[in-house]
Amino acid sequence: MPFKDLANGYGRYDYYDVPGGSLADLWLDDVDSDGEVDLIGSMSPYVWPADSLWIMMNEGSGTFSSPVTVYAGSGASGIYGADFDGDGWVDLATACVWDTSVTVLMNDGSGGIQSPVRYPLSIAGSFHDGPRKIDGADLDGDTDIDLIAFNIYTGTPGTIDSLYVLRNNGDGTFGGATAHALNGPPRDVFCADFDSDQDIDIAVSLGNHPPYPVQVLWNTGAQSAQCGDCNGDGRITIADATYLVSYIYRGGPAPIGQGDVNLDGRVTIADATYIVAYIYRGGSPPCNPPPSEADGIILRKRGAK
């Protein structure tokens, strides 16, 4: 449907005064889970104090409440929203340029936003080399949203030519940032499965000047999950035993971390039982069975009965 010509007085203008008066980023999401899209904005990092997000709740008729500010971190700029901990509520993450960090603000389950948790980035440069933009995608295939932070081409040359990936631990907390070098300073990113291998890849537009080349970071799908971390979420829990049962009996996906936890050369229900014993009964750690079991395994591998 075409929009009416607002310049000639048709349609409707709505103006809202927001803190700082100058926007760095704008995100739309249903923060209070009422089925209506709310507005979340950040102030320009050059407008003091530039450390907050503002939220305007949709009142259900296309009008919005007055903005409410929440502290997000020094130089809070880019915004990304998603359900980081699987509780059904939208959480927020921000890129903080002055603080050289990513902050995560969890939803309290009623539409309120909790205090930020800071995840510092190791960027060797001046104070303005911190991240200005942030995005998210399930990069490691564990169904949790991971975060991608970057500077958007404004900073010290050579120090901002990277993306920083923070893996979600599955509960809304994140691991330390991993830097991925680029051929130039990034301007924007787009995440999708470009080669149909079921892994999310990242396309990056680069440079300060034309022709603005594009670099693609291909996701190899390789994980460094520890033995027994069958679902690759960075922990060994009952979910890993369930994951193995699904793989063995229901044709589920293969283990990400090693599934042969008792080292008998096969992935069977005995491995799921081994994980359960480790979690609930103080059994031996995965891939470290007691000597008696290990001896028997070696004999069986040699064909002894």
Side-chain angles (χ1 to χ4, degrees), residues 134-217:
I134 191 167
D135 205 340
D138 179 14
L139 298 176
D140 52 9
D142 65 355
T143 73
D144 300 311
I145 297 296
D146 309 302
L147 297 175
I148 308 156
F150 52 103
N151 183 281
I152 67 163
Y153 69 82
T154 303
T156 304
T159 66
I160 60 170
D161 299 353
S162 296
L163 294 181
Y164 295 84
V165 173
L166 294 85
R167 285 185 57 186
N168 193 325
N169 294 322
D171 58 359
T173 64
F174 292 81
T178 301
H180 296 267
L182 301 172
N183 294 331
R187 296 175 61 88
D188 205 354
V189 303
F190 185 83
C191 300
D193 180 10
F194 298 130
D195 52 2
S196 300
D197 66 351
Q198 309 304 311
D199 296 309
I200 299 298
D201 311 299
I202 306 174
V204 189
S205 61
L206 302 175
N208 292 351
H209 307 287
Y212 302 127
V214 173
Q215 181 176 355
V216 177
L217 281 66

Side-chain angles (χ1 to χ4, degrees), residues 140-142 225 228-237 239-240 243 255-257:
D140 52 9
D142 65 355
D229 180 15
C230 300
N231 61 8
D233 69 353
R235 303 167 295 167
I236 298 176
T237 66
D240 296 298
Y243 191 101
I256 297 172

Side-chain angles (χ1 to χ4, degrees), residues 70-147:
V70 293
Y71 176 77
S74 180
S77 183
I79 309 169
Y80 181 81
D83 180 7
F84 298 140
D85 58 356
D87 67 352
W89 292 82
V90 173
D91 310 301
L92 300 172
T94 62
C96 298
V97 59
W98 305 141
D99 198 29
T100 316
S101 69
V102 166
T103 59
V104 174
L105 298 86
M106 303 301 293
N107 197 311
D108 65 6
S110 64
I113 300 299
Q114 301 181 45
S115 298
V117 177
R118 179 177 179 268
Y119 297 91
L121 306 184
S122 296
I123 302 177
S126 62
F127 72 98
H128 66 293
D129 290 325
R132 293 172 184 260
K133 296 288 287 183
I134 191 167
D135 205 340
D138 179 14
L139 298 176
D140 52 9
D142 65 355
T143 73
D144 300 311
I145 297 296
D146 309 302
L147 297 175

Side-chain angles (χ1 to χ4, degrees), residues 281-301:
R281 300 173 190 166
S284 299
C287 291
N288 188 25
S292 59
E293 292 183 25
D295 291 342
I297 291 166
I298 293 172
L299 289 174
R300 285 195 296 272
K301 287 184 176 180

